[in-house]
Amino acid sequence: MAQVYTSSVIGASAERVWAAIRDFNALPDWHPAIKESRIEGGGPADQVGCVRAFRLQDGGFIRERLLALSDYDFSCSYSILESPMGVENYVASVKLTPVTDGARCFAEWSAEFDCAPEREAELVALIGNDVFQGGFAALKARFGDA
């Protein structure tokens, strides 16, 4: 099983950053790689079990299911149902932790997945750098670099 872990410090409170990312359908609002997103069936975007279907800027199509969401812990987890990346059993988590010496937060994004052994290094780099760190960079640009 492949594992990816990234972290960053964002120059805004966990509450402010969480307000931007907790909406499971809001990826296009803050992640530069996402072109459009919709919740299948039109249900609430914060309902555990909902499925988001989104298109990447490069045309790729991905479907993900929200597995957990906690406003108390500023965290969520989700699984990939369909993706052009060639991953299986993909489960990821995002968590924000308040930094106590200022209006900043510590952000973590991690995933575990199965894939063809010869693609593991490539996929870990792609997900860690382009997806996770790319999202953190966009949030830092939006809220300020800590």
Side-chain angles (χ1 to χ4, degrees):
M1 179 162 287
Q3 297 180 329
V4 180
Y5 175 85
T6 61
S7 63
S8 190
V9 176
I10 300 170
S13 69
E15 291 86 356
R16 283 189 62 212
V17 178
W18 183 243
I21 68 171
R22 80 174 294 280
D23 178 343
F24 196 55
N25 197 39
L27 275 176
D29 295 344
W30 63 270
H31 200 296
I34 312 305
K35 182 175 182 177
E36 60 190 12
S37 178
R38 68 177 173 80
I39 299 296
E40 293 181 357
D46 61 356
Q47 182 177 10
V48 171
C50 74
V51 174
R52 70 179 167 201
F54 61 94
R55 197 154 300 281
L56 303 172
Q57 295 291 353
D58 69 7
F61 178 75
I62 300 176
R63 293 176 67 237
E64 298 174 336
R65 179 180 312 278
L66 183 61
L67 301 175
L69 183 129
S70 171
D71 289 327
Y72 179 79
D73 291 326
F74 305 117
S75 67
C76 69
S77 62
Y78 60 93
S79 63
I80 288 181
L81 303 174
E82 181 181 337
S83 162
M85 291 187 294
V87 296
E88 294 181 0
N89 304 312
Y90 182 105
V91 175
S93 296
V94 178
K95 180 169 177 41
L96 303 175
T97 303
V99 173
T100 59
D101 69 345
R104 299 179 297 154
C105 64
F106 180 67
E108 299 173 274
W109 202 340
S110 61
E112 291 185 342
F113 57 90
D114 295 321
C115 64
E118 65 273 9
R119 295 210 52 220
E120 183 174 338
E122 170 198 355
L123 288 168
V124 165
L126 171 77
I127 293 165
N129 297 326
D130 296 353
V131 179
F132 296 175
Q133 288 296 358
F136 286 157
L139 289 168
K140 289 169 88 161
R142 178 176 179 168
F143 290 107
D145 200 350

